[in-house]
Amino acid sequence: MFDELEKEGEQMAAARRLPFEIAQYRWRYHWFRKKSITPTGPFYINVEPTSYCNIRCQLCSYNYSRKPGYMDVGLYEKIIDEAAALNIHEVAHFLAGEPLLHPELPYMIEYATISGMESRLHTNGMLLTEEKSHQLLDAGLAFLGVSFDGDDAETYNVMRKGSDFDQVIENIRTFLRLKGERGKTSPHVTLKVVKKEGQPGNGNGNAGDLMVGDEFRRRFAGLPLDRIKVIHPHSWRGEIRDEVPQVTTGDYYYPCMVLWGTMSIGWDGRVVGCAADLNGHDILGDLNRESIMDIWNGDILRHYREMHRNGRYQELDLCRDCNFVWRGKNPHVAFLMSKMPQPVKSAGKAVLSGTRLVGKDVRTRSFT
């Protein structure tokens, strides 16, 4: 009986949710137009259940200069109610802290799910106990991302003080086993492995060369793991540039998609500049007093969009040292190509291979 009610609730929530394709096309359309005001809200929001963390990572810029705390459940409900009314597609529970430290996290995820939003969670996995895994699965979690620094115990335990590689591996295996026992394809589970240039298996450090070792993959053999994603470390707006040299991401400039697609909300309701602004250097507004759309089309974000549109992102403290605006190919063309049938994709790749697509290179061209 309970399973039937749970299934019915999930179906009702999915019916209220704006279809993924429509939601994705909607925000990308506004990014493509690059208008400073958009009539619809972000594609997704990041909501920080807590800014406290149980470990210390070398590759994290968070230094607790932003006052730490736990989000009030009433504030969370207000945010989700607004977001659902705006047809915001998903909510990712994370920012600077470890979400599993919040005692009401399962309720938060369930509330967002019932409200018609896709509920996501990003965690370091250390607190992902069997009991917590059951709670998250019961809450209707749609996506679970677990982050790693390196793919072996020696590297990981040095990079992540207070965590334990083997314990996290076992926690993930338990979660995957429970997911499999329920016979569900949801939640989608991704392991995000950060590897520095020069670490084993990384080739020359190019994005296409990044990979994890066979031993790491074998740990999850036979379990319903959906993806292992290997990435370069991020410099967090240049805040940890000494530890993380900037990696060239492309020669062509495109205004930051974050300004048209996402909003990052701290535990206290204040909206920070972006998901890389963990210490809250730029505060865009306060959802205790303002609405999502008030902030989304407020003076600060409109100014940021105009500066990016005109290629003047380096005049913004938030964006000056971030390389996210540099691309190797036109992101709009790449997105449209990804939606094409496979023969068209293959032909497109052949045509575009080795070709620099038209973009505005602010290092060599002036804007008009």
Side-chain angles (χ1 to χ4, degrees):
M1 180 66 176
F2 176 78
D3 290 340
E4 292 177 0
L5 290 173
E6 181 183 28
K7 183 177 181 180
E8 182 180 350
E10 290 177 355
Q11 290 173 341
M12 291 175 62
R16 289 195 298 273
R17 186 185 308 152
L18 193 67
F20 173 77
E21 294 289 347
I22 295 177
Q24 194 176 46
Y25 276 110
R26 184 178 71 169
W27 84 260
R28 284 183 174 272
Y29 169 74
H30 295 303
W31 179 35
F32 176 77
R33 293 181 72 234
K34 301 178 182 63
K35 298 295 184 181
S36 60
I37 295 179
T38 69
T40 58
F43 173 65
Y44 72 89
I45 55 175
N46 299 313
V47 176
E48 181 180 60
T50 178
S51 57
Y52 285 106
C53 194
N54 56 322
I55 66 175
R56 295 291 179 271
C57 302
Q58 287 186 14
L59 299 179
C60 178
S61 67
Y62 185 50
N63 58 20
Y64 283 84
S65 59
R66 180 166 57 88
K67 181 182 177 182
Y70 293 85
M71 179 170 280
D72 177 76
V73 171
L75 174 60
Y76 177 85
E77 291 173 343
K78 172 187 179 295
I79 293 169
I80 295 302
D81 289 346
E82 279 191 41
L86 291 169
N87 263 318
I88 293 174
H89 188 265
E90 60 196 55
V91 52
H93 300 83
F94 95 111
L95 198 59
E98 169 50 49
L100 289 174
L101 285 170
H102 199 299
E104 298 297 330
L105 180 66
Y107 168 77
M108 292 174 160
I109 290 172
E110 183 178 26
Y111 190 86
T113 302
I114 292 174
S115 298
M117 298 181 69
E118 182 176 295
S119 292
R120 292 177 162 237
L121 172 64
H122 297 268
T123 174
N124 60 47
M126 191 63 184
L127 302 177
L128 190 63
T129 62
E130 183 166 349
E131 178 184 7
K132 191 68 71 176
S133 294
H134 277 295
Q135 293 173 349
L136 295 175
L137 290 166
D138 290 341
L141 185 68
F143 175 94
L144 175 68
V146 186
S147 55
F148 282 82
D149 286 337
D151 58 358
D152 61 85
E154 182 179 3
T155 302
Y156 178 95
N157 291 334
V158 169
M159 301 294 289
R160 299 200 156 206
K161 299 297 183 183
S163 189
D164 181 85
F165 180 82
D166 292 328
Q167 182 62 61
V168 173
I169 292 290
E170 187 56 35
N171 289 349
I172 297 169
R173 287 177 53 83
T174 297
F175 185 92
L176 293 172
R177 174 177 58 80
L178 296 175
K179 170 189 170 182
E181 289 174 356
R182 296 184 181 219
K184 292 186 175 183
T185 58
S186 182
H188 178 105
V189 180
T190 289
L191 307 185
K192 188 169 68 173
V193 182
V194 180
K195 299 193 76 174
K196 286 185 175 182
E197 183 175 345
Q199 286 182 337
N202 276 20
N204 295 320
N206 298 317
D209 294 331
L210 296 176
M211 61 186 70
V212 295
D214 292 338
E215 182 178 350
F216 185 83
R217 292 184 181 277
R218 280 195 294 267
R219 293 173 182 270
F220 306 102
L223 294 169
L225 175 64
D226 297 283
R227 186 184 185 191
I228 298 177
K229 181 179 181 181
V230 191
I231 61 173
H232 284 296
H234 196 280
S235 69
W236 302 102
R237 305 171 45 250
E239 289 188 55
I240 57 171
R241 61 168 61 89
D242 292 339
E243 292 85 357
V244 183
Q246 289 282 49
V247 175
T248 300
T249 55
D251 294 326
Y252 289 92
Y253 171 85
Y254 291 89
C256 182
M257 60 194 301
V258 170
L259 298 175
W260 282 268
T262 72
M263 176 179 282
S264 296
I265 306 163
W267 69 269
D268 57 358
R270 294 189 302 164
V271 177
V272 300
C274 70
D277 187 17
L278 300 185
N279 294 305
H281 291 293
D282 285 41
I283 300 298
L284 309 181
D286 188 341
L287 287 172
N288 290 285
R289 303 187 300 270
E290 304 169 89
S291 71
I292 289 175
M293 289 306 294
D294 286 340
I295 298 171
W296 189 243
N297 283 325
D299 292 342
I300 300 176
L301 264 176
R302 291 206 317 269
H303 174 63
Y304 285 6
R305 291 177 187 133
E306 289 168 0
M307 295 293 279
H308 273 251
R309 183 181 62 204
N310 295 320
R312 297 169 59 189
Y313 79 99
Q314 291 179 318
E315 297 177 37
L316 300 171
D317 289 341
L318 175 69
C319 312
R320 180 179 300 117
D321 295 313
C322 182
N323 64 358
F324 198 52
V325 296
W326 293 99
R327 305 278 177 150
K329 56 186 177 181
N330 188 314
H332 308 299
V333 173
F335 170 72
L336 292 174
M337 288 295 298
S338 71
K339 304 300 178 182
M340 298 294 178
Q342 189 56 50
V344 179
K345 287 183 185 179
S346 300
K349 287 181 179 179
V351 171
L352 298 176
S353 178
T355 303
R356 289 190 172 181
L357 300 176
V358 176
K360 294 181 178 179
D361 189 337
V362 300
R363 292 174 293 191
T364 59
R365 307 179 191 176
S366 60
F367 283 75
T368 57

